[in-house]
């Protein structure tokens, strides 16, 4: 089991994707909707190939659930690159931590559910190792790929949650 050392990461890119707007009758309805969104994100955790082309999961284990969070450990493959990540699911976020492995730098993606006056959004926050620099055109392509992937994921989650 690899050790997850991702404390020293710095923000790389952040954006928000609209899920939809819903007038919830009460706090219970809002809570149920939030729960369905997180459930949709957990489906992606368990089936990454559904939303990330070329990504295969070789193994998935779940730590004993604590009341406020679930932790998964995944062994993944993208082409010839194999890596492991740790996914922490809370009531309002799913956090993907990748520790530094072989040629792969450490990274973190936090997907947070935000609700503003009946408008539900997912905020995607990408973090990477300090000093990890790419040429401008590579950075632009990387961000476009992230946005496209995140919009597709948000669209599937919104549909499943009933927006």
């Amino acid at each position: 089991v690899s050790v997850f050392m991702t404390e020293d990461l710095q923000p790389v890119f952040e954006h928000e994707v609209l899920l939809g707007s819903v007038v919830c009758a009460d706090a219970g309805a809002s809570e149920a909707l939030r729960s369905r969104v997180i459930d949709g994100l957990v489906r992606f955790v368990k089936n990454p190939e559904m939303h990330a082309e070329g990504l295969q999961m070789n193994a998935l284990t779940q730590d004993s659930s604590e009341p406020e969070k679930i932790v998964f450990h995944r062994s993944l493959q993208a082409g010839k690159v194999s890596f492991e990540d740790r996914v922490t699911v809370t009531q309002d976020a799913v956090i993907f931590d990748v520790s530094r492995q072989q040629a792969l730098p450490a990274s973190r993606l936090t997907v947070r559910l935000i609700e503003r006056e009946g408008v539900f959004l997912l905020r995607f926050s990408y973090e990477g190792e300090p000093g990890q620099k790419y040429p401008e055109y590579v950075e632009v392509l990387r961000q476009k790929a992230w946005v496209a992937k995140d919009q597709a994921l948000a669209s599937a989650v919104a549909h499943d949650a009933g927006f």
Side-chain angles (χ1 to χ4, degrees), residues 4-49:
F4 286 86
M5 301 291 290
T6 51
E7 303 78 44
D8 300 328
L9 300 179
Q10 62 187 24
V12 174
F13 179 63
E14 185 173 274
H15 71 109
E16 293 180 347
V17 180
L18 177 69
L19 290 174
S21 56
V22 163
V23 178
C24 292
D26 53 39
S30 172
E31 211 43 55
L33 187 56
R34 296 173 75 82
S35 178
R36 289 198 304 272
V37 170
I38 296 297
D39 288 349
L41 291 171
V42 169
R43 264 195 301 283
F44 165 67
V45 170
K46 293 179 176 179
N47 305 283
E49 68 286 349

Side-chain angles (χ1 to χ4, degrees), residues 66-82:
E66 295 173 38
E68 300 297 314
K69 71 178 183 183
I70 306 168
V71 179
F72 295 100
H73 294 273
R74 304 188 302 174
S75 171
L76 301 153
Q77 184 141 6
K80 292 185 170 132
V81 179
S82 295

